Amino acid sequence: MSLLNNLVLKAAKGEKTERVPVWLMRQAGRVLPEYRATRAKAKNFIEFVKNPELACEVTIQPVDILGVDAAIIFSDILVIPEAMGLPYQMIEAKGPWFEKTIKTKSDIDALKIAEGEDLNYVLKALQLTKKELNNRVPLIGFCGAPWTILAYMVEGSGSKTFSKAKQFLYTEPILAHQLLEKITQSSINYLKSQVKAGADMIQLFDSWAGILSEKQFYEFSLHYINKIVQEIKPLVPVTVFAKDAHYALNKIADTGCNTIGIDWTINPTKARNEAGKNVTLQGNADPCLLYAPEKTILEETHKMLNEFGAERYICNLGHGLYPDLDKEKVKYFVEVVKSFKFN
Ligand code: CP3
């Protein structure tokens, strides 16, 4: 059955849309009191992610409450390390933590290549959400880009510099490539299963692209992103969000991905010039804009939308919503985008 609101999908495919489509990274999250209430029903974050009914509930909340034009499945990029044999914990107010990390060849050899069925709980959540959404909006599936996943597997936690992960690239480049290859194969298996389970489009999150040099980004990140895009693009539209890698927009476009996600540190005109005309751009409001008074949100958003223009554009933030933003301001931003008319 066709979707009732397919604006995001149409924009990703380069088709004209009646208005600017909008969704928000981290829309299923702590900014919504309703999310916090559902989360309180699970023992901890991981139990929450592994519960398809609860995951489905919080995936649909932002569609109902914020009026966004797409749902993104509630899960985490760290389910892939776990499926490969590196379990994680999500420590309250601190973030992810891995008991075991990757240091040696035997650590890499011990990892399994994940298959779709290793992530059955995500697939069930997708199936259930697809059914419950009843074709109202597209459902986005996702995974982390291989470099960002390696960064967590080697570092063992979040970090400002990820210096252990970068040290690994400089001291063990061959092992790094072996690990990236295993993560890539696991991600391809996982994403193909997500599509079978109902994902209408896929986004790759390379959240830590920005800590690599340009040369390292091409060698250790984009090479593997490209492999994933080639496998998934024939199935559904693919978005690549490589945070802070502006210098690479033309090369990211060369992968043939449908959409490139951009953060707020590049302006729309420059991003379009770099990326070329054959790709959709997604972004790029600073999440901190939503701390501003409504008048500022309105003016800045209108400026941004006029600069991106009507063609090949999906409105979003330049990174995820912060948990302490006011839900009403987030709603206001979505309304401003949905009621916008080009000059
Ligand atoms: O709405 C959505 O965007 C869908 C769900 C989603 C989550 N994580 C849920 C989540 C998505 C797409 C992610 C991706 C993710 N996870 C990324 C890439 C995107 C980005 O932000 O750069 C990364 C780097 C992670 C790893 C991760 N997960 C960290 C570092 C943290 C802790 C930081 C924090 O915000 O607490 C998480 C936890 C997490 N994942 C939360 C949510 C809603 C918060 C946990 C909670 O409920 O307390």
Side-chain angles (χ1 to χ4, degrees), residues 25-30 35 39 45 72-78 90 92 95-96 142 152 205 207-208 319:
M25 289 189 274
R26 280 286 168 92
Q27 63 189 19
R30 285 169 296 183
Y35 167 90
R39 191 193 192 293
F45 181 76
I72 179 162
I73 191 66
F74 179 76
S75 184
D76 203 90
I77 62 168
L78 301 176
M90 193 61 76
E92 213 62 46
F142 70 90
Y152 283 103
F205 287 91
S207 306
W208 297 107
H319 202 186

Side-chain angles (χ1 to χ4, degrees), residues 52-226:
E53 283 77 26
L54 296 184
C56 168
E57 195 174 307
V58 295
T59 301
I60 296 178
Q61 279 172 357
V63 178
D64 291 333
I65 300 163
L66 302 173
V68 286
D69 295 311
I72 179 162
I73 191 66
F74 179 76
S75 184
D76 203 90
I77 62 168
L78 301 176
V79 301
I80 277 286
E82 187 188 69
M84 294 176 73
L86 275 198
Y88 69 104
Q89 293 174 33
M90 193 61 76
I91 299 172
E92 213 62 46
K94 276 194 118 168
W97 188 78
F98 290 83
E99 194 176 309
K100 269 194 300 178
T101 57
I102 299 297
K103 296 187 187 71
T104 62
K105 176 155 188 336
S106 62
D107 293 338
I108 297 170
D109 291 342
L111 294 171
K112 75 169 283 192
I113 293 182
E115 301 290 338
E117 63 244 39
D118 297 318
L119 289 139
N120 242 330
Y121 59 91
V122 183
L123 306 180
K124 280 201 182 133
L126 281 161
Q127 284 160 352
L128 189 60
T129 306
K130 186 75 190 158
K131 186 166 150 255
E132 295 289 318
L133 270 176
N134 205 9
N135 291 302
R136 284 159 63 199
V137 292
L139 178 56
I140 304 171
F142 70 90
C143 75
W147 152 247
T148 288
I149 296 300
L150 175 147
Y152 283 103
M153 290 172 101
V154 172
E155 194 79 23
S157 66
S159 160
K160 280 209 178 83
T161 56
F162 278 89
S163 52
K164 287 196 193 102
K166 286 186 71 185
Q167 182 183 4
F168 193 67
L169 300 188
Y170 281 106
T171 57
E172 299 288 359
I174 295 170
L175 292 188
H177 280 297
Q178 285 172 3
L179 178 53
L180 289 164
E181 191 60 50
K182 271 190 145 168
I183 298 168
T184 300
Q185 290 311 318
S186 300
S187 304
I188 290 169
N189 292 341
Y190 178 41
L191 293 176
K192 284 185 173 168
S193 303
Q194 289 194 38
V195 172
K196 271 196 205 128
D200 297 297
M201 52 203 301
I202 292 293
Q203 176 155 327
L204 302 180
F205 287 91
D206 204 1
S207 306
W208 297 107
I211 61 173
L212 296 175
S213 70
E214 177 167 1
K215 181 168 163 281
Q216 284 175 322
F217 176 71
Y218 299 141
E219 179 181 348
F220 294 104
S221 180
L222 193 61
H223 176 73
Y224 297 96
I225 288 176
N226 183 55

Side-chain angles (χ1 to χ4, degrees), residues 234-249:
L235 310 175
V236 292
V238 180
T239 301
V240 175
F241 174 60
K243 193 164 177 296
D244 298 317
H246 309 139
Y247 54 81
L249 293 182

Side-chain angles (χ1 to χ4, degrees), residues 22 24 66-68 330-339:
V22 55
L24 307 170
L66 302 173
V68 286
V330 179
K331 246 173 117 166
Y332 180 71
F333 174 75
V334 172
E335 280 159 17
V336 166
V337 178
K338 287 170 74 174
S339 54

